Amino acid sequence: MRGSGEEKMRALIWFVGIVVALMVVSMLHTTGWMTSTVALAFFVALAIWPVDNGLRRRLPGNLRWLGHLAALVVMLLLLGVFFGGVVFAARQITAGLPAYEEPARAMLDQLGRWIDLPAVADGNGGFSGRLMDPVFSFVSGAVVSTSNLIGILSLLVFLALLMLIEGPALSRKLRAVAGNHDGDAYGATVTAIAVRVRGYLAVRTLMGVVTGCLYALWSWLWNVDFALTWGLLAFLLNYIPNVGSFIGGILPAGFAFLQHDPMWALAFGGGLIVIEQIMGNYVDPRLQGNQLALSPLVVLVALLFWGWVWGLAGALIAVPMTLVIMIVCVRIGPLQPLALFLSNCRDIEELKRATSA
């Protein structure tokens, strides 16, 4: 009877846990504009923490505020480069789209005749009219959206700066509340998260720079328009694993079909595929090593999940968020099976070694 009662209690705990998790996900989805900004600010603060902490350790007490100032400058530069690059690329493509509208409509009309779709053809543009008008509307809307990011970015910068300022005090408060032993354990968890996240961002940045340069050079060699834009997009989209590389490759390949003959465009697209295969399957694993310890399938599912919860912001931080969940779960006994499921490790001990600080 005791065993039956314990099993029922365990099942009840799991049921309550699942219900609470679903409620939390629903809350995050509903309050995405706020919670995604807080999450982004947290990871930005983690990324630039060494700048702030390094300067404050080397400066006398009355000048330690310079560490916060330096971190703020670095943060503004990084965010300015990233979101400025998004706006620049979107505006460049939008400005050049009208020149490709007629070739695109002609190609789509020919495709419609080839696959015999008379039902979708009409007298106001045919098959292409059904497809091109939403495309142009979407791109124009994307430019307007990226231009309205100033308010969100201001809040993000403010939150990240406050996190940096409050970090040391929060650490002392946590130790005072949790006690020395638990405080050390919490500190080790935060350190492990920070190390993994910074390593991940460093590798993604390096991969993005190399991939972007290769894309720009390849586009220039094949005389594809917007070569610089394709390189910039490849760099920016590299922060979204798997999906970002697909989008970054399909856009220049699509413009190549509009600009040149199909065989020529196929050869150009094949070169982009080779670049992605080399960078994704050879260079990236050797740079990243076992640092992530995440299952590739989990990474893809995380992109879909966090993209649904928080949109573009969720896609950008899907991997860091999943890393945080895995590192926290591996340090909580009942949740270790979930951590092992998220990882690419074979057992808990291997996962503990892979996620140690």
Side-chain angles (χ1 to χ4, degrees):
M1 293 296 291
R2 171 180 286 184
S4 177
E6 290 178 352
E7 290 178 359
K8 289 181 179 179
M9 180 59 67
R10 190 180 297 110
L12 178 61
I13 292 174
W14 274 103
F15 175 76
V16 172
I18 292 172
V19 171
V20 171
L22 291 175
M23 292 175 63
V24 170
V25 169
S26 177
M27 182 271 294
L28 291 176
H29 180 63
T30 304
T31 61
W33 68 272
M34 180 184 66
T35 50
S36 63
T37 305
V38 173
L40 275 170
F42 171 72
F43 289 114
V44 170
L46 279 184
I48 62 175
W49 169 257
V51 176
D52 179 272
N53 189 51
L55 277 178
R56 286 192 300 105
R57 286 179 177 274
R58 290 171 173 80
L59 293 173
N62 59 338
L63 293 178
R64 287 182 178 176
W65 59 271
L66 289 175
H68 300 319
L69 179 62
L72 176 62
V73 171
V74 172
M75 180 168 32
L76 291 174
L77 286 175
L78 292 177
L79 292 175
V81 169
F82 185 84
F83 288 102
V86 172
V87 173
F88 172 80
R91 290 189 181 279
Q92 287 290 106
I93 295 174
T94 304
L97 275 179
Y100 293 92
E101 184 172 0
E102 288 306 318
R105 291 185 185 277
M107 185 178 70
L108 289 173
D109 284 335
Q110 183 178 2
L111 177 63
R113 289 191 296 270
W114 180 62
I115 60 179
D116 192 17
L117 289 175
V120 296
D122 54 38
N124 298 317
F127 176 56
S128 63
R130 299 276 183 169
L131 296 179
M132 287 303 297
D133 291 339
V135 170
F136 282 98
S137 299
F138 172 77
V139 174
S140 300
V143 175
V144 174
S145 299
T146 53
S147 301
N148 294 331
L149 286 171
I150 302 300
I152 296 177
L153 287 179
S154 301
L155 177 60
L156 189 152
V157 169
F158 183 69
L159 285 171
L161 183 60
L162 283 180
M163 289 177 185
L164 290 173
I165 295 173
E166 291 289 329
L170 183 61
S171 177
R172 290 192 295 268
K173 292 175 184 178
L174 184 62
R175 186 178 297 277
V177 171
N180 288 335
H181 177 71
D182 290 339
D184 290 339
Y186 294 148
T189 301
V190 174
T191 300
I193 291 173
V195 169
R196 293 300 180 284
V197 169
R198 284 197 287 266
Y200 167 77
L201 292 176
V203 170
R204 298 291 354 140
T205 300
L206 178 59
M207 288 284 297
V209 170
V210 176
T211 304
C213 291
L214 291 175
Y215 264 52
L217 178 61
W218 185 250
S219 301
W220 176 75
L221 289 175
W222 285 75
N223 196 29
V224 175
D225 291 343
F226 309 118
L228 180 61
T229 301
W230 303 136
L232 180 60
L233 275 178
F235 165 69
L236 296 173
L237 292 171
N238 185 73
Y239 288 99
I240 306 177
N242 302 331
V243 177
S245 61
F246 173 77
I247 298 174
I250 203 70
L251 287 175
F255 270 78
F257 273 97
L258 299 178
Q259 189 179 349
H260 300 283
D261 63 85
M263 294 304 297
W264 191 97
L266 283 173
F268 170 76
L272 296 181
I273 293 175
V274 171
I275 292 174
E276 283 300 331
Q277 290 299 311
I278 293 175
M279 297 301 296
N281 296 327
Y282 181 78
V283 179
D284 192 18
R286 281 156 180 77
L287 289 177
Q288 201 75 68
N290 296 322
Q291 192 168 23
L292 285 184
L294 285 173
S295 163
L297 176 61
V298 168
V299 170
L300 183 57
V301 173
L303 285 171
L304 298 175
F305 173 76
W306 290 109
W308 171 77
V309 174
W310 285 335
L312 177 60
L316 284 173
I317 60 176
V319 173
M321 283 296 298
T322 310
L323 267 175
V324 170
I325 293 172
M326 183 184 69
I327 293 173
V328 170
C329 287
V330 80
R331 286 162 170 77
I332 302 175
L335 296 180
Q336 286 181 351
L338 175 60
L340 186 61
F341 174 78
L342 295 175
S343 75
N344 61 354
C345 299
R346 292 168 294 182
D347 53 55
I348 294 296
E349 292 305 318
E350 180 183 353
L351 179 56
K352 287 181 178 179
R353 290 193 298 269
T355 57
S356 60

